[in-house]
Amino acid sequence: MAASAVGRATTAGRMLDLLRTRGTLSRVELAERTGLTPATITNTMRRLIDAGLVHEIGRGHQRGRGQPRRLLELDPTAWYAVGVQIDRTTTTIVVLDFAGVRVADASLRGSGGQSPDATIASLGEHVADLLRCNDIAHERVLGAGLVTHGPQDRDRGVLLTVQPDPAWLEFPLTATLERRLGIPVLLENDATAAAFGEQWAGAVPTDTFGLVYMGSGIGGGVIVDGESYRGRASNAVEIGHIALGQAPCFCGNSGCAQAEAGPRAVVEQALADPDLAARLGIRGDPDETLADFERLARAWRTGDRDAAALLERSARWIGRAAVTLVNLFDLDTVVLAGPAFATAGPLYRLHVESELRRRALTRALSSPDVRLAANVETAAAIGGALHVLRTMPVDVRREPQRIESA
Amino acid sequence: MAASAVGRATTAGRMLDLLRTRGTLSRVELAERTGLTPATITNTMRRLIDAGLVHEIGRGHQRGRGQPRRLLELDPTAWYAVGVQIDRTTTTIVVLDFAGVRVADASLRGSGGQSPDATIASLGEHVADLLRCNDIAHERVLGAGLVTHGPQDRDRGVLLTVQPDPAWLEFPLTATLERRLGIPVLLENDATAAAFGEQWAGAVPTDTFGLVYMGSGIGGGVIVDGESYRGRASNAVEIGHIALGQAPCFCGNSGCAQAEAGPRAVVEQALADPDLAARLGIRGDPDETLADFERLARAWRTGDRDAAALLERSARWIGRAAVTLVNLFDLDTVVLAGPAFATAGPLYRLHVESELRRRALTRALSSPDVRLAANVETAAAIGGALHVLRTMPVDVRREPQRIESA
């Protein structure tokens, strides 16, 4: 990496991250929060201002008899980042500006039934369209975060699973998307990205928490002291495969939370009652699991008892998986995120909290708190884009120039 | 802390830790491994040598045409640390010298049936006796690591559980032992301490691994990149409370690994067969669970089929708990430690490895490896003493003096 490139761990990267989180800060506040010397702050800030990444926006309150402090703020238009979350039923795209604010989003058909090559091709077109329609120049896009279920090899940008089908195993996802988009692409786990996204959204009152992610499958993420738990090779917190019952799971284990209580399992339980399935229009197409699950959730919300019984059973199982998550990672806060919680979220929140309050080992020491994500459907895509903003180096030599697209 | 006191995070602390791990190193090697300048190494090393903590032991191989390098080594007699592991059935005491080598140990009756006050009083006497019999001056003992099951409040030095009985909840364990022994005492979790102990013993070929600890109960520890996973308040990896079945557990949950397959559960299953219990001399006293469990393990080793059936059932359950441990923390290496594995260890190793190879989510990416601890019964006490050596500050101003005890 060139000496002038700044990533998160560098002085400039830390200053950018603080400004992104806090909005505006003075040089004095930056020095206090980083522990860096005023001289270092001044010099680094001069480079960031010259590069157009930061600008001054007038003056803050006067303190004592000193000079009024000039406040600094990121230039939101300096760079943009894309976040793309692929699921079998739905794909979500978001664009964040340099300050981390969402400036565009789109939701489209999932990868179901398509080859990875066709999925990436279509994704590339949609991202290009979204940028063009929002007047965001391709040259101003720092990169894209591609967010999927695990297990992944993040360094090589490939999935290490035959889910959703064998063509996806080891397919060069990030390399193909990089070629299509002409920008760097980072691979990230959906649940971990959602945890980053919710932390950023200010929706979690602690910097140590767990997250249950439910799309077509179930995943988990853990943030400890503001950093994600990665384990050996970033394939951690696979709470969809906590064994709870007897149902066989594709993974080779039995009784996995996903096989007992995931959206696919709930839809199959609904199909076992032909009257219910017909009444709610449940079709059972594996590529439309989330759409069928949403039909059940809407039926529950309008008072359908059969739908409620199926969802409540699932929610109690997820609650028991959350007990193991909390007992193993020593947590008291759990966030629920992902498209499966779009409508059914409140029901799941209630049951997961109830199970934790009955069963978590340290429940008497710190009362378990379960929250529905602020961005329940888009947290993972937002987290993917944030990951780009926070970790990809910005070349501060380069003069920022807003090149308008055609 | 005085400016001349050195802990792990200081320059001197890092150098001491490297010498403790590597045995002997030259100043050049210390500079290479720490990234510190030769001047810093030379100055710090002068203080450590003057204080009697390190000494030179002749010369290493000549490299090129330069001066032969003088090798440095810790003075093993400069300081000592005590590790004490309390369990209901057995208590283990070890004394390590400043180089981390075990110089004394003792095994005594556990805490079962005694009040915490009486337990600590008796423990204090045994530690004092052990030091006296081994000619270790009280003034040369840096501190003691007290190792127990969780949940704990490590800062306050108390247990946050009514196990083994309500008198232990919030009893000032470390403060009482400090008063008895006249040395500082640190509280540590048994499974985490055992993981430190095994890492130090060089028994684990990776710096990211999980540990299943089985004493009277079941605990877990995780080391990632050489550091223990602590979570919110150091009460993590409670794998004894992974829900697997239906049996009610004292914790309020049901089906916990400990309630289904822990030593107490196995002993109770044996008691349900009066012929077996009589044949093996199983008594069922809750304070003697590990002794009864050991009777079963010895019977298995000599070919008793009924004992084998009970232990194999338990080992498969522990294997399923290990699958969840591995799936959540993304591990491929699991170590089994604790007195319950003293005799039955090989049987458990086999079944836990077999379950992981059948069921762990990333088993195809990295073949699971299960090892029996090198110090199966004493790893936790060793880890407690190591924790003292690695984290307690040493006053380098003080001239070391070996004061012989009476």
Side-chain angles (χ1 to χ4, degrees):
Chain A
M1 212 57 77
S4 64
V6 299
R8 187 180 186 189
T10 64
T11 302
R14 283 169 65 198
M15 287 163 62
L16 291 173
D17 217 30
L18 267 173
L19 286 172
R20 188 170 293 124
T21 312
R22 311 297 307 186
T24 59
L25 288 171
S26 69
R27 286 176 179 79
V28 172
E29 287 165 332
L30 276 169
E32 284 166 3
R33 285 170 189 277
T34 57
L36 296 167
T37 65
T40 304
I41 297 285
T42 301
N43 291 335
T44 309
M45 196 45 78
R46 187 176 306 128
R47 284 167 56 219
L48 295 175
I49 290 175
D50 288 349
L53 300 178
V54 174
H55 52 209
E56 295 188 336
I57 55 151
R59 289 159 191 278
H61 294 295
Q62 204 162 341
R63 261 208 312 208
R65 287 165 304 170
Q67 278 256 307
R69 298 166 306 154
R70 282 166 295 178
L71 292 177
L72 301 157
E73 167 180 275
L74 293 192
D75 181 344
T77 67
W79 289 100
Y80 295 87
V82 176
V84 179
Q85 189 252 323
I86 307 184
D87 182 273
R88 197 159 171 175
T89 306
T90 319
T91 294
T92 306
I93 307 173
V94 303
V95 183
L96 302 187
D97 68 19
F98 196 52
V101 174
R102 185 186 339 196
V103 292
D105 56 34
S107 175
L108 39 135
R109 203 181 142 218
S111 61
Q114 291 182 92
S115 71
D117 212 27
T119 302
I120 297 292
S122 144
L123 198 53
E125 280 174 29
H126 277 100
V127 169
D129 282 354
L130 191 65
L131 293 172
R132 194 163 46 239
C133 295
N134 286 276
D135 280 344
I136 296 163
H138 179 270
E139 292 77 3
R140 291 288 87 198
V141 181
L142 196 54
L146 181 62
V147 174
T148 74
H149 60 284
Q152 308 167 326
D153 184 326
R154 292 171 67 225
D155 291 336
R156 292 192 296 127
V158 301
L159 283 181
L160 299 175
T161 166
V162 295
Q163 296 290 320
D165 72 56
W168 290 76
L169 175 68
E170 296 273 351
F171 180 86
L173 286 176
T174 59
T176 308
L177 189 57
E178 275 180 358
R179 245 191 341 267
R180 287 268 169 190
L181 289 178
I183 55 174
V185 178
L186 300 178
L187 191 63
E188 182 56 279
N189 174 275
D190 48 15
T192 300
F196 280 141
E198 284 302 294
Q199 191 181 22
W200 165 247
V204 197
T206 163
D207 62 356
T208 296
F209 65 97
L211 184 134
V212 174
Y213 189 82
M214 200 152 83
S216 293
I218 300 174
V222 168
I223 305 278
V224 180
D225 295 336
E227 299 290 332
S228 65
Y229 176 85
R230 296 282 185 188
R232 196 179 54 83
S234 288
N235 289 312
V237 204
E238 287 291 1
I239 57 172
H241 299 279
I242 291 177
L244 296 164
Q246 308 295 332
C249 180
F250 75 85
C251 78
N253 203 350
S254 53
C256 291
Q258 183 164 318
E260 292 283 356
R264 185 71 220 155
V266 175
V267 167
E268 279 173 7
Q269 288 151 17
L271 289 166
D273 176 349
D275 290 346
L276 176 69
R279 187 168 83 239
L280 304 185
I282 309 278
R283 291 169 202 157
D285 176 352
D287 292 332
E288 298 295 334
T289 295
L290 276 175
D292 279 340
F293 186 81
E294 188 62 15
R295 288 182 185 101
L296 281 160
R298 288 187 183 153
W300 157 71
R301 203 170 52 182
T302 55
D304 188 296
R305 289 193 186 184
D306 298 324
L310 290 179
L311 292 176
E312 280 163 6
R313 178 185 176 278
S314 160
R316 282 193 301 271
W317 282 99
I318 302 296
R320 297 207 68 180
V323 171
T324 290
L325 174 71
V326 157
N327 285 353
L328 263 57
F329 284 95
D330 190 17
L331 308 168
D332 58 6
T333 305
V334 173
V335 177
L336 307 181
F341 294 125
T343 299
L347 176 146
Y348 277 84
R349 203 203 68 72
L350 203 72
H351 285 278
V352 172
E353 191 163 85
S354 155
E355 289 294 315
L356 285 173
R357 292 192 171 172
R358 276 178 62 204
R359 300 176 193 269
L361 191 60
T362 58
R363 62 193 178 275
L365 308 177
S366 183
S367 181
D369 177 16
V370 180
R371 294 170 175 245
L372 201 54
N375 299 300
V376 68
E377 292 181 85
T378 53
I382 290 172
L386 270 175
H387 184 50
V388 168
L389 290 178
R390 299 181 76 182
T391 59
M392 273 198 184
V394 174
D395 187 341
V396 297
R397 280 173 312 189
R398 185 160 148 196
E399 192 69 9
Q401 33 185 227
R402 232 181 119 85
I403 301 167
E404 297 301 330
S405 56
Chain B
M1 212 56 76
S4 63
V6 300
R8 188 179 183 189
T10 64
T11 302
R14 283 169 65 199
M15 287 164 61
L16 291 174
D17 218 28
L18 267 173
L19 286 173
R20 188 171 292 125
T21 312
R22 312 296 307 187
T24 60
L25 289 171
S26 69
R27 287 176 178 77
V28 172
E29 287 165 333
L30 276 168
E32 283 167 4
R33 285 171 189 275
T34 56
L36 296 166
T37 64
T40 304
I41 297 285
T42 301
N43 290 335
T44 309
M45 196 45 76
R46 189 176 304 127
R47 282 167 57 221
L48 295 175
I49 290 174
D50 286 350
L53 301 177
V54 175
H55 53 209
E56 295 187 337
I57 55 151
R59 291 158 189 277
H61 292 297
Q62 202 160 344
R63 260 208 313 211
R65 285 167 304 170
Q67 279 255 304
R69 298 167 305 156
R70 279 166 298 178
L71 292 177
L72 301 157
E73 166 180 275
L74 294 191
D75 180 344
T77 66
W79 288 99
Y80 295 85
V82 175
V84 179
Q85 189 251 322
I86 306 185
D87 182 274
R88 197 158 170 176
T89 307
T90 319
T91 293
T92 306
I93 307 172
V94 301
V95 183
L96 302 187
D97 68 20
F98 196 52
V101 174
R102 184 185 339 194
V103 292
D105 56 32
S107 176
L108 39 136
R109 206 183 140 213
S111 62
Q114 290 182 93
S115 71
D117 213 27
T119 302
I120 297 291
S122 142
L123 199 53
E125 279 173 31
H126 277 100
V127 169
D129 282 352
L130 191 65
L131 294 172
R132 193 164 46 239
C133 295
N134 286 276
D135 278 344
I136 296 163
H138 179 269
E139 292 79 359
R140 291 289 86 197
V141 181
L142 196 53
L146 181 63
V147 174
T148 74
H149 60 285
Q152 306 167 327
D153 184 327
R154 292 171 68 225
D155 291 338
R156 293 193 294 127
V158 301
L159 283 181
L160 300 174
T161 167
V162 296
Q163 296 289 319
D165 71 58
W168 290 76
L169 174 68
E170 297 273 353
F171 180 86
L173 286 176
T174 58
T176 308
L177 189 57
E178 276 180 357
R179 244 191 342 267
R180 287 267 170 190
L181 289 178
I183 55 174
V185 177
L186 300 177
L187 191 63
E188 182 56 279
N189 174 275
D190 48 15
T192 300
F196 280 141
E198 284 302 295
Q199 193 181 22
W200 164 248
V204 198
T206 164
D207 62 355
T208 297
F209 65 96
L211 184 135
V212 174
Y213 189 83
M214 201 152 85
S216 293
I218 300 174
V222 168
I223 303 279
V224 180
D225 295 335
E227 299 290 333
S228 66
Y229 175 85
R230 295 283 185 187
R232 195 179 55 83
S234 288
N235 289 311
V237 204
E238 287 289 1
I239 58 173
H241 300 278
I242 292 176
L244 296 165
Q246 308 296 332
C249 181
F250 74 86
C251 78
N253 202 349
S254 52
C256 291
Q258 184 164 318
E260 292 283 357
R264 184 73 218 152
V266 175
V267 167
E268 279 172 8
Q269 288 150 18
L271 288 167
D273 177 348
D275 289 346
L276 176 68
R279 188 168 80 240
L280 304 184
I282 310 278
R283 293 168 202 157
D285 176 352
D287 294 332
E288 297 296 332
T289 296
L290 277 175
D292 279 341
F293 187 81
E294 187 62 15
R295 287 181 186 102
L296 281 160
R298 289 187 183 154
W300 157 72
R301 203 170 53 181
T302 54
D304 188 297
R305 289 195 183 183
D306 298 324
L310 290 179
L311 293 176
E312 279 163 8
R313 177 185 176 280
S314 160
R316 282 193 300 270
W317 282 99
I318 302 296
R320 297 205 69 181
V323 171
T324 290
L325 174 71
V326 157
N327 286 353
L328 263 58
F329 284 95
D330 190 17
L331 308 168
D332 59 5
T333 305
V334 173
V335 177
L336 308 180
F341 294 125
T343 299
L347 176 147
Y348 277 84
R349 204 203 68 72
L350 203 73
H351 286 278
V352 172
E353 191 164 84
S354 155
E355 290 294 315
L356 285 172
R357 292 194 170 171
R358 277 177 62 203
R359 300 176 192 269
L361 193 59
T362 58
R363 62 191 179 274
L365 310 177
S366 184
S367 180
D369 177 14
V370 180
R371 291 168 181 247
L372 200 54
N375 297 301
V376 68
E377 292 181 82
T378 52
I382 291 172
L386 269 175
H387 184 50
V388 168
L389 289 179
R390 299 180 77 181
T391 60
M392 274 197 183
V394 174
D395 187 343
V396 296
R397 279 174 312 190
R398 185 161 147 196
E399 191 71 9
Q401 33 185 225
R402 234 182 120 83
I403 301 167
E404 297 300 328
S405 55

